[in-house]
Every structure is written in C-alpha cells, then in structure tokens.
Amino acid sequence: PKSPLVTDLERALFPWSAVDLRHLHDRIGNDTRIVIPTGTHHLPYAVHLIKGLRHLGCQLPITVAYAGDGDLPVPARSYLRHLHVGLLDVSAFVNNTALGLGGWEVKPFAALFAPYRHVLLVDADVVFLQDPATAIFASSEYSQHGAVFFPDRTLFPGDTGKPAWLSANLPRPLSRRVTATRMYRRLSAHEQESGVVAIDRRRHFLGLLAAAKLNAKEEREEAFYKTFYGDKESYWIGLEMAGESWTYLHPTCGVIGELQI
C-alpha cells in the first residue's frame, strides 16, 4: 500500500487524475496496440488510416481515443465499432472540467491511460507506407530504448527562447540527448514530429506522466504552449524530466510524386 506521503504527493502533482496512478502502472500488461486520438473533425482521416493499415497487412489491434461525447459522438463511435476497433474515452480517467481536453492535448493522456504496454500513438492524418509493427516495434532502436520518436523538419534557426527554457527546466547537467538536439543548438525551432510516437508504458510511465502534466490546462496555457507548438515536444521533454532514455528512428528518405523545378 502507498504511504500517505506518496498519496498526497500524487494528488498535488496530478490533481486531474481520477484513478490511482500506482494501480494504473501495476496493471500494465504486455499488449501492443495502435492508438489513434481523434474527434469528429478528423474522423474521415482516422477511417482512412485504419483501412490503410489493414491494406498493408498490419494486424495490430487499433483503439481510437477521444475526450467525451462532445469530442466523438455516439454515431461516430458506432461506425468505428463496425471497423473492429476499440474505443478509449480519456475523459473517464480524468477531471476533464479542470483539464479541458479536446485538441492536441488529448494525445499524451491517451498514451498514459491506454491499458496496453507498447503503444503506437498515431495522428489521424498519418499515412503509412509499410507495416509499423515491423518498421517500428521490431526495430533495434525500440528494443534498446523503449521510446522511439521521429525528427521534425529543420525550420526557423536562431531561436534562443527554447534552449533557455530547456536549460531552466530540465535536470542538470543536461543529458547528451538534449545538447545534441537541433533545438538546443539553435539550428531549428522544432525538434520532434509527434504524429507517430512509439512508447513502452512500463519502462516510461514516469516520462508519460511528465508529458501529460506539460499538457494539463494550467501548465500548457501558462507555460508550455507559450514556448512550444502544441504537444509536439512534450514527449521527449517529459522523458528527459524523468531521466529516461529515448531515441529517433531515422528512416531512409523517400519521395512521392514528381520533382519539378
């Protein structure tokens, strides 16, 4: 059983949680599943993604995550059930009046509360060209780190605010992972592309908690979203806050379409 001190600390750090977080961690099994957070607006993209994955031969179970009836109404959920996907109402695990989930910020909470060990968090508008079960989960990078991300484009160099934020808020000394980022070296204002996030919840439960906290209402409105673009950077930063390992999966570059000068 948890001590009163741990219980009080948990309530102070994560007042929005409606479940016992220790119990949530202890119930992590060994399932591997794709989790697609979406609302009504992005539902057509999610349907395209689901059918595309099956066309590629991907057999991983799929769950669609949402934040209450207002985010994804009953008719939409009924249609998704006909596609043989699971449903996860993230608002059932939190005080959504306090959190106000309904956009980007749903994603880390979907990863945190999805009752699976290996989660592939995928934006609804992603298009896969190969089975992610093989390309991502079977990779040596995922096996070693249990957290695989993708780099974003290198854009808008010279940003000094983001390196300053990292220096002020991450554990010192900064890890080599942080100091090697383009963001810290001021080569790019963006570091992580969060459209696809692969994570082992058992190995990175504390990192996911930190990522979720960065996207909680008070933290995102008063601090995190003022510096970073939505949830994009919160995954690797959350893991860094917890002192946990992560890496990028650097794919071979490809081109779709024709090159025109």
Side-chain angles (χ1 to χ4, degrees), residues 165 169-171 206-207 210-211 214 224 236-244:
W165 193 99
N169 291 281
L170 292 183
L206 291 179
L214 292 173
F224 198 72
W236 71 271
I237 290 178
L239 266 61
E240 285 293 336
M241 286 181 164
E244 296 175 350

Side-chain angles (χ1 to χ4, degrees), residues 2 16 24 46 69 89 101 111 114 125 158 163 167 170 180 207:
K2 292 190 298 186
W16 35 261
L24 182 69
D69 292 344
D89 183 0
L101 300 180
D125 58 356
S167 295
L170 292 183

Side-chain angles (χ1 to χ4, degrees), residues 34 50 52-62 130-133:
I34 295 171
I50 292 165
L53 285 165
R54 296 304 183 229
H55 181 73
L56 288 171
C58 179
Q59 298 300 313
L60 288 176
I62 298 173
Q130 54 184 317
D131 185 351

Side-chain angles (χ1 to χ4, degrees), residues 34-40 46 50 62-68 71-72 77 80 85-91 93 103 106-111 113-114 116 121-122 124:
I34 295 171
V35 176
I36 306 171
T38 190
T40 304
I50 292 165
I62 298 173
T63 292
V64 169
Y66 62 100
D71 195 29
L72 195 66
R77 304 201 302 267
L80 287 168
V85 302
L87 295 168
L88 175 70
D89 183 0
V90 178
S91 67
F93 298 88
V106 173
K107 294 166 56 182
F109 290 94
F113 292 111
Y116 322 112
L121 192 68
V122 183

